[in-house]
């Protein structure tokens, strides 16, 4: 049986707001409550399960593989919202995207300081 990532938990100051942000920016389906979580499902069946916390939130990194057309749409929503964005995870190249592996990629923050990334080519796929 293949091993597949099924879900992960994402700490949030406000899980409703954070789940809605992710779903809207990425163009995914409406968030769904499940127990104490608000879940957002990606197109390969992984759910990000947002949960409220009053404690410190350590910034995590979540990367999403998308098509070139989706990049135009999602990056359009990032800029429309006036979000900061960077070409690199160290945030040394603000206001730029990258062309790693012959595709396009960019990093931007979610409402909790998690660093989101969209890429149109998987790491290392450019040869
Ligand atoms: Fe990454």
């Amino acid at each position: 049986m293949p091993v597949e990532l099924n879900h992960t938990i994402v700490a949030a100051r406000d899980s409703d707001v954070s789940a809605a942000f992710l779903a809207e920016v990425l163009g995914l389906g409406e968030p769904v409550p499940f127990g104490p979580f608000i879940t957002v499902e990606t197109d390969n069946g992984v759910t990000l399960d947002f949960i409220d916390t009053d404690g410190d939130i350590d910034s995590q990194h979540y990367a999403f593989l998308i098509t070139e057309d989706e990049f135009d749409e999602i990056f359009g929503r990032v800029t429309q919202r006036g979000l900061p964005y960077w070409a690199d995870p160290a945030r040394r190249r603000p206001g730029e995207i990258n062309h790693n592996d012959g595709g396009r990629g960019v990093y931007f923050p979610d409402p909790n300081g998690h660093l989101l990334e969209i890429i149109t080519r998987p790491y290392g796929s450019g040869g």
Side-chain angles (χ1 to χ4, degrees), residues 3-94:
V3 178
E4 299 179 344
L5 182 64
N6 180 258
H7 64 274
T8 189
I9 295 174
V10 183
R13 197 59 69 211
D14 183 323
S15 55
D16 287 306
V17 168
S18 299
F21 172 89
L22 186 74
E24 286 169 19
V25 169
L26 295 185
L28 295 170
E30 286 281 306
V32 176
F34 180 76
F37 305 103
I38 307 294
T39 71
V40 175
E41 185 172 358
T42 66
D43 293 314
N44 60 333
V46 177
T47 63
L48 288 93
D49 301 349
F50 291 84
I51 191 157
D52 289 330
T53 179
D54 294 328
D56 292 339
I57 296 177
D58 290 330
S59 178
Q60 302 294 327
H61 173 53
Y62 302 95
F64 302 91
L65 182 63
I66 59 173
T67 66
E68 288 289 338
D69 286 346
E70 287 164 344
F71 189 96
D72 291 333
E73 292 172 19
I74 296 168
F75 186 53
R77 288 191 282 269
V78 168
T79 55
Q80 207 167 37
R81 286 169 177 256
L83 295 170
Y85 61 90
W86 301 268
D88 63 308
R91 307 181 206 200
R92 294 198 182 98
R93 294 168 59 197

Side-chain angles (χ1 to χ4, degrees), residues 61 63 107 117 123:
H61 173 53
Y107 298 80
E117 176 184 16
Y123 285 7

